[in-house]
Amino acid sequence: MNVYEAELVVERRVVAADGVLALTLRHPLGEELPAWEPGAHIDVVLGPVLERQYSLCGDPADRRSWRVAVLREPAGRGGSAHVHGQVRVGDKVRVRGPRNHFALLPSPRYLFVAGGIGITPILPMLAAADAAGADWTLLYGGRTRDSMAFKEELEPYGDRVRVVPQDEYGLLDLAGVLGGAPRPDTLVYCCGPGPLLDAVEERCAGWPGGTLHVERFQPGAAKVTAHQEAAADGEFEVVLERSGRTLTVTADASVLDTVRAAGVEVLFSCTEGTCGTCETDVLDGTPDHRDSVLTAEERAAGETMLICVSRCLGKRLVLDL
């Protein structure tokens, strides 16, 4: 699969909120960038072993620039500190993508829930839902009002948007917006910190399948089935159909580790099952899904897997590699 990769120039660097930096990226020759849809993200290569994923939060109709926003995380793994401390206007950064595992599906009604920097993929969704004439509301929470990015871009939507700083109003009232009978004509989109997503998933457990769509920045809590536990971390074979090779994945190695050790080139990034970069087609066998990207329907179909974390429920997988 061909993936767009290029060095883009940082055209603008704007403080979008307390601790949040927005970067506008353009091609150095003014070339058009690949089209994208709300929910998409790009890989940003910040160094030889430093690569992060950031949601596109600008206007999909603008083919000349991409905008991302980065939250400074003092306890993070170095990506946000690098962006805030070292990336300046005029610098070039290497990017790949876009990819989209959080696509906005057509619906007459939406409920959007964003926590903190989770507003970034939601922001272009609001414009798309509004343009489509859908009925929608946004519940947007954050630590403080000053820490919540893009509030001024939300003001034109009026009372469709509820901005809820925690220090003023407490936690988001999920019971109020998700309580009561399930609404079969409403899709729920949620992005933010893990505890928020876990709470929304719990509230939507009784809603129709396919109602809830979430995007995680960090791996979610594993929901291990008895079948998975029985097969946990066992050794299995992986057949690389295009390479004509059969490899053994040991209990202490991932499929990604094993494939790369054999000299097979594959795209990967987070190695945590959250970005979707290493998603690979499964031609035969049953994956043991351990990612935080695929939907329940995609997992049940078993047609793809994220080889950085997922394994095999049997003794053999055949992959399109």
Side-chain angles (χ1 to χ4, degrees):
M1 179 175 60
N2 293 325
V3 177
Y4 178 80
E5 183 168 353
E7 283 195 338
L8 302 185
V9 175
V10 179
E11 183 184 58
R12 285 193 295 275
R13 186 179 188 271
V14 177
V15 176
D18 183 18
V20 179
L21 188 64
L23 302 179
T24 300
L25 309 174
R26 285 186 181 268
H27 193 280
L29 300 179
E31 295 178 4
E32 282 196 346
L33 302 175
W36 61 279
E37 296 181 351
H41 70 264
I42 56 173
D43 305 330
V44 179
V45 182
L46 300 169
V49 293
L50 191 59
E51 186 173 318
R52 296 292 183 265
Q53 290 70 44
Y54 299 116
S55 298
L56 292 170
C57 58
D59 180 2
D62 179 4
R63 296 291 301 277
R64 299 290 178 179
S65 70
W66 283 344
R67 184 177 68 169
V68 297
V70 182
L71 170 67
R72 177 68 181 262
E73 298 184 84
R77 297 177 297 154
S80 68
H82 181 95
V83 172
H84 279 251
Q86 300 186 42
V87 177
R88 296 288 183 263
V89 171
D91 288 353
K92 289 183 178 179
V93 293
R94 179 158 290 277
V95 304
R96 286 197 302 263
R99 296 183 181 84
N100 200 341
H101 292 277
F102 194 44
L104 184 67
L105 302 178
S107 177
R109 292 179 180 81
Y110 299 96
L111 171 59
F112 298 103
V113 182
I117 197 64
I119 190 62
T120 52
I122 299 294
L123 197 60
M125 291 185 178
L126 304 182
D130 209 51
D135 180 14
W136 62 267
T137 56
L138 166 66
L139 187 63
Y140 178 21
R143 293 181 295 102
T144 66
R145 193 173 294 273
D146 288 344
S147 74
M148 299 172 71
F150 306 120
K151 295 187 301 297
E152 69 285 351
E153 296 184 26
L154 298 173
E155 289 175 358
Y157 295 125
D159 59 7
R160 287 189 173 193
V161 174
R162 289 175 56 193
V163 174
V164 186
Q166 185 176 345
D167 65 338
E168 297 178 30
Y169 301 105
L171 296 174
L172 294 178
D173 180 17
L174 298 180
V177 296
L178 294 171
R183 287 158 263 174
D185 60 348
T186 300
L187 294 184
V188 180
Y189 279 80
C190 180
C191 185
L196 172 63
L197 270 62
D198 292 340
V200 171
E201 285 182 340
E202 183 178 349
R203 288 285 178 183
C204 291
W207 288 44
T211 294
L212 177 61
H213 301 262
V214 302
E215 182 166 63
R216 292 183 178 270
F217 301 131
Q218 297 174 332
K223 300 177 177 64
V224 181
T225 66
H227 194 178
Q228 286 176 310
E229 197 161 325
D233 298 324
E235 188 174 280
F236 60 94
E237 285 188 344
V238 59
V239 179
L240 309 184
E241 183 73 13
R242 282 189 278 133
S243 303
R245 305 181 64 177
T246 299
L247 308 174
T248 298
V249 181
T250 59
D252 60 350
S254 69
V255 176
L256 175 63
D257 292 336
T258 304
V259 168
R260 293 188 66 230
V264 178
E265 291 294 324
V266 291
L267 286 176
F268 70 98
S269 182
C270 73
T271 69
E272 295 182 326
T274 59
C275 74
T277 303
C278 69
E279 185 175 2
T280 302
D281 288 341
V282 177
L283 305 179
D284 193 26
T286 304
D288 173 6
H289 296 292
R290 303 184 182 191
D291 64 275
S292 301
V293 173
L294 299 180
T295 65
E297 293 77 13
E298 289 169 332
R299 292 182 177 207
E303 295 175 353
T304 68
M305 65 182 290
L306 272 65
I307 61 173
C308 66
V309 292
S310 297
R311 300 183 67 80
C312 179
L313 288 178
K315 293 296 183 183
R316 182 175 179 270
L317 280 174
V318 181
L319 302 180
D320 187 23
L321 290 174

